[in-house]
Amino acid sequence: MYIVLERRPDGGVLAHHTDDGGRVTTTDAVREGDLATYVSSREPGDTRWVWHDTAAWYPRLLAAGVRVERCHDLRLAHVILRSSLFTAHTSIAAAPSSGWDRLAGAAAVDLDALFDVEQRDDLDPVAEFALQREAVTGSDARIGRLVNAESAGALVAAEMTHAGLPWRADAHDALLAAALGPRPRHGERPAELERLADEVRRALDAPDLNPDSPPELVRALRRAGITVDSTRSHELKRIEHPVIPPLLEFKKLARLHTANGWHWLDTWVRDGRFRPVYVPGGVVTGRWASNGGGALQLPAQVRSAVIADPGWKLVVADAAQLEPRVLAGMSADTAMATAARASDLYQAMVDSGAVQTREQAKYGILGAIYGGTRGESGRMLPRITRAYPRAMALVEDAARAGERGERVRTWLGRTSPLPGEAMVTSTDEPDAVDRAAQGRARAWGRFTRNFVVQGTAAEWALHWMATLRIRLWELGDGRLEERPHLAFFLHDEVVVHTPEASAERVAETIRECAAEAGRLLFGSFPIEFPLSVAIVDDYGQAK
């Protein structure tokens, strides 16, 4: 049963019961203060709640202690269905631009502002849901699975923000003090950064240098006879000069201070929890992003501050070599799937005789996925292609399609955007071909080559989390934060916060859900997704 929730101008809510095609059968009028009770009375059950944006509706329910089993997120589904190659023949693809297209580009929208009286006709959730159901039921079944998984991911994101990642502010402060020195006064550098800055100035004979300024630093390096084009660490590491060690250390600590220093701690950690705002589908491939807090870029230097509550544990799991395994599943390359049965796919490639070293295997496969044609990646490509022809054909076909200005799709149907018109080249006069345009075409081909694999890996992760979310709920009692629950997600890694007594069962469940995600995507094709799983007291112990 579907129930479409619609905000009324007076602040109440209309709950439209619909059939499978999105046609309204009955409607309940619910007062704003009664919404949590209304939803709770239908949970758990077979209801799928339909709303414009999970990020606007669900946190209010969670705050009232109400968890929902299933939802349909109209905003996220619109992004997928509007552009998918699977739904190109449907009404939603042909519909004129509307408020739903504007909403689709937003990470989250204030509910009251969204349903302003002047905009309600343009953002009718019932009409949009009917249009989406028509597209799903009239298209490849995989697109419906993607929409459901994307909506489940939105529930996971809201629940992780609600529960929060356990974070000890005192431990974080101690880590910063050990690396940077005591907390400085506002506007001042920490003592260790200032010491390193002075060492850099002396090494370059530049007493007034501000090493935080890339243009100043480049000029000072050049005056010292060091030819550089930028101050990127990878470029500096190739240089032999006394200034390089303190400069690299300064840059590393400066990043820590800027990205996860005391200001970050004051801003993002409250009541022992880090509560980032996740943005499901925030990247064009379907990968998640975050809206502040840098949730998807937590450096190893601060992970020891992520400490489980007393009597609880963190179960940390990450998928090994996820993208190559996804590629094997998409392409049904049995030779690569055979290598994927090992916990280390790259070493299995060496053992099979495909390449001579693990480094060659890694560079060759990642070069194929990301379009690397130079160095070790380029040298290994012929051998990788001979060993795994179906897998290499899939990414090569995606690259060629991108170079021709065509769109490509992931396994479940998320579709790449079109390149800009400037990419198109003319072949009428070969001698006059625009070489810059050809370069842009090749670059777009590298994008589409990676899009199909990275996007499908994101789909696998969605299914992993969606399945795990349900199974974890069954392992405990009480409110969400009182049971084993997902606390953090990073592309191919999850952290579950769990009572210690359930930790081993949680670890087993995480592995089972990873295997189930593979079956949901690739059916009976024999591709495996092994995990590295650790039960720890703090996140830093997991690596």
Side-chain angles (χ1 to χ4, degrees):
M1 176 174 62
Y2 297 96
I3 301 180
V4 182
L5 298 182
E6 178 183 10
R7 174 60 63 88
R8 298 189 307 182
D10 63 5
V13 174
L14 295 177
H16 306 284
H17 297 240
T18 79
D19 60 19
D20 192 57
R23 292 174 291 273
V24 175
T25 55
T26 60
T27 297
D28 299 326
V30 184
R31 292 184 302 180
E32 172 71 15
D34 296 335
L35 180 61
T37 301
Y38 179 85
V39 172
S40 179
S41 69
R42 288 156 177 79
E43 289 286 345
D46 63 351
T47 300
R48 189 180 294 274
W49 301 96
V50 182
W51 43 44
H52 84 280
D53 189 346
T54 302
W57 288 87
Y58 195 31
R60 304 180 185 193
L61 297 174
L62 288 169
V66 178
R67 173 190 179 273
V68 306
E69 189 79 9
R70 302 184 302 170
C71 82
H72 179 100
D73 189 303
L74 291 169
R75 180 181 70 84
L76 292 173
H78 185 91
V79 173
I80 293 168
L81 298 173
R82 183 78 155 137
S83 62
S84 176
L85 289 170
F86 282 159
T87 56
H89 63 287
T90 65
S91 299
I92 197 168
S97 179
S98 71
W100 290 101
D101 293 303
R102 295 189 294 275
L103 175 61
V109 179
D110 179 75
L111 191 61
D112 298 317
L114 174 67
F115 284 101
D116 186 271
V117 175
E118 297 177 353
Q119 298 183 3
R120 289 186 67 212
D121 290 341
D122 196 31
L123 291 167
D124 181 350
V126 173
E128 174 66 16
F129 181 55
L131 203 61
Q132 292 189 10
R133 289 300 301 159
E134 177 192 23
V136 167
T137 57
S139 303
D140 189 299
R142 284 177 287 179
I143 199 69
R145 285 156 48 198
L146 175 55
V147 166
N148 289 342
E150 188 88 333
S151 297
L155 294 176
V156 171
E159 289 172 2
M160 288 197 300
T161 298
H162 173 78
L165 182 65
W167 201 287
R168 285 270 300 276
D170 60 336
H172 189 147
D173 180 75
L175 288 168
L176 294 175
L180 299 169
R183 182 169 183 162
R185 289 181 295 186
H186 181 71
E188 294 183 355
R189 281 198 187 97
E192 181 62 11
L193 276 180
E194 191 58 45
R195 184 190 71 78
L196 289 166
D198 285 341
E199 192 172 339
V200 169
R201 294 183 188 112
R202 288 194 299 271
L204 294 177
D205 192 22
D208 297 323
L209 171 66
N210 174 13
D212 287 314
S213 169
E216 281 191 43
L217 187 54
V218 167
R219 288 194 293 270
L221 289 167
R222 288 176 176 172
R223 284 196 300 269
I226 304 171
T227 303
V228 293
D229 295 319
S230 74
T231 60
R232 294 186 177 92
S233 294
H234 71 86
E235 184 173 352
L236 295 175
K237 288 177 181 177
R238 296 197 295 262
I239 298 168
E240 291 287 341
H241 189 279
V243 76
I244 298 303
L247 179 54
L248 289 174
E249 183 67 10
F250 178 90
K251 289 172 66 64
K252 182 182 77 171
L253 294 181
R255 282 194 298 273
L256 172 64
H257 181 234
T258 301
N260 296 100
W262 287 280
H263 178 71
W264 181 94
L265 182 60
D266 294 342
T267 304
W268 288 100
V269 177
R270 291 284 185 277
D271 303 319
R273 291 293 185 270
F274 170 40
R275 302 180 192 274
V277 178
Y278 298 95
V279 184
V283 179
V284 69
T285 59
R287 275 191 164 197
W288 285 21
S290 64
N291 187 9
L296 303 183
Q297 296 178 347
L298 287 183
Q301 296 151 292
V302 299
R303 291 189 177 189
S304 293
V306 181
I307 300 174
D309 291 342
W312 288 59
K313 291 287 187 179
L314 301 175
V315 184
V316 182
D318 65 273
Q321 299 133 1
L322 177 58
E323 290 187 352
R325 295 173 193 276
V326 162
L327 175 57
M330 295 174 69
S331 61
D333 193 308
T334 54
M336 185 176 284
T338 298
R341 290 175 192 156
S343 59
D344 187 342
L345 179 148
Y346 299 134
Q347 185 58 47
M349 291 169 61
V350 176
D351 296 341
S352 72
V355 291
Q356 294 177 327
T357 68
R358 188 182 184 280
E359 185 178 71
Q360 289 176 345
K362 181 176 181 179
Y363 279 114
I365 288 294
L366 295 183
I369 293 174
Y370 288 90
T373 58
R374 298 179 180 177
E376 192 73 351
S377 294
R379 287 192 294 272
M380 288 300 105
L381 190 57
R383 297 188 65 171
I384 296 293
T385 300
R386 286 194 297 272
Y388 310 110
R390 293 179 66 92
M392 295 305 101
L394 187 145
V395 289
E396 287 298 327
D397 287 347
R400 300 294 86 77
E403 291 174 5
R404 293 191 298 269
E406 299 169 3
R407 297 188 298 161
V408 297
R409 62 167 178 80
T410 62
W411 185 246
L412 296 185
R414 192 186 302 270
T415 299
S416 66
L418 286 169
E421 291 183 1
M423 193 208 81
V424 179
T425 63
S426 169
T427 56
D428 295 336
E429 299 180 51
D431 293 338
V433 170
D434 183 344
R435 296 187 183 277
Q438 281 189 322
R440 288 190 292 270
R442 286 191 294 271
W444 195 258
R446 288 192 294 273
F447 164 73
T448 52
R449 171 195 297 271
N450 180 241
F451 179 94
V452 296
V453 181
Q454 187 182 108
T456 303
E459 292 166 356
W460 179 88
L462 281 174
H463 282 76
W464 184 29
M465 287 196 296
T467 307
L468 182 57
R469 170 182 179 264
I470 294 171
R471 294 281 302 277
L472 291 175
W473 180 258
E474 297 168 351
L475 294 181
D477 297 296
R479 294 165 68 107
L480 172 71
E481 54 270 34
E482 297 168 343
R483 306 176 184 232
H485 57 270
L486 280 158
F488 186 65
F489 167 62
L490 180 62
H491 304 316
D492 57 2
E493 181 175 336
V494 297
V495 178
V496 174
H497 195 209
T498 179
E500 185 172 1
S502 302
E504 292 290 348
R505 183 70 187 103
V506 166
E508 181 183 351
T509 300
I510 291 173
R511 292 189 178 95
E512 292 170 352
C513 291
E516 179 64 13
R519 288 190 292 270
L520 288 170
L521 257 69
F522 305 119
S524 61
F525 184 74
I527 182 67
E528 298 183 15
F529 294 90
L531 304 177
S532 170
V533 182
I535 299 173
V536 296
D537 293 312
D538 76 67
Y539 193 7
Q541 296 172 344
K543 296 295 184 182

